[in-house]
Amino acid sequence: MGGSGTLKAVLFDRDGTLVVDVPYNSDPQLVRPMDGALSALQKVRRAGLATGVVTNQSGVARGLLTLEQMHAVNQRVEQLLGPFDVWEFCPHGPEDGCDCRKPGPGMILAACRALGITPEEAAFVGDIGADMEAAAAAGARAVLVPTEVTRREEIEAAGSVAADLGRAVELLLSGALEEQDARV
């Protein structure tokens, strides 16, 4: 787990973390914030930290949605939960071998570059193991917020687990993540 620098940004996975996961969503009208997402984001912003979204969107590579549709969905997320300081997305499929797709660190590193911070000054909140692996590979702090799709082994492997987004943000803002294996 990374994270000895002062926290300057909290990055979030989109589907299953900030908004209810609608697989390969191409319709902005289907975007629904997760419970507590807006208040958690407001706490981060009030604390003076940057916010960002880091999202795999393999539906583009799979031909299930267009880049325009993905941008329209992202725009709806921005309307409901923004403003975000940075957006990073990977339109590639798992077999494309890109550096950006989580569990690779590419998008987290790119978001940090865009914000002018080091990965050690960032935290990433997500709902699956690939999110935690991407944060670890980038050198950022990580908090897992499990959903019904999160596998037990992903929960067990995560260094920090929070019951919901609000608790994840509290954990990050309190500095409790500096303690090993935080679970709230």
Side-chain angles (χ1 to χ4, degrees):
M1 175 172 26
S4 57
T6 302
L7 187 62
K8 294 186 179 174
V10 182
L11 308 172
F12 297 87
D13 171 55
R14 191 187 85 180
D15 303 318
T17 302
L18 288 178
V19 299
V20 175
D21 187 14
V22 175
Y24 310 116
N25 185 13
S26 61
D27 183 355
Q29 295 310 307
L30 297 179
V31 174
R32 298 282 177 272
M34 294 291 277
D35 289 341
L38 184 57
S39 63
L41 285 160
Q42 288 169 334
K43 280 183 194 169
V44 173
R45 293 178 183 123
R46 275 196 307 271
L49 305 180
T51 59
V53 180
V54 173
T55 180
N56 283 352
Q57 293 297 316
S58 68
V60 175
R62 298 170 200 265
L64 300 171
L65 68 154
T66 65
L67 274 173
E68 291 75 23
Q69 289 169 322
M70 182 207 65
H71 286 304
V73 169
N74 287 348
Q75 196 168 13
R76 182 67 179 149
V77 174
E78 181 86 15
Q79 288 170 347
L80 294 170
L81 298 173
F84 292 96
D85 298 290
V86 66
W87 278 84
E88 292 292 335
F89 66 90
C90 171
H92 306 114
E95 60 289 329
D96 289 340
C98 65
D99 292 332
C100 49
R101 183 176 169 78
K102 295 176 292 183
M107 287 189 290
I108 294 175
L109 295 173
C112 291
R113 279 193 302 275
L115 293 170
I117 64 173
T118 67
E120 294 76 25
E121 295 170 317
F124 186 54
V125 179
D127 65 321
I128 60 172
D131 295 327
M132 301 301 96
E133 292 169 37
R141 300 166 176 89
V143 181
L144 181 72
V145 179
T147 65
E148 62 279 353
V149 303
T150 313
R151 298 193 324 268
R152 175 169 298 287
E153 55 270 22
E154 292 173 323
I155 296 169
E156 290 167 357
S160 299
V161 180
D164 56 42
L165 269 176
R167 288 196 178 96
V169 165
E170 287 169 19
L171 194 62
L172 291 166
L173 295 180
S174 72
L177 215 58
E178 301 310 316
E179 301 159 23
Q180 196 67 9
D181 274 357
R183 308 239 166 203
V184 293

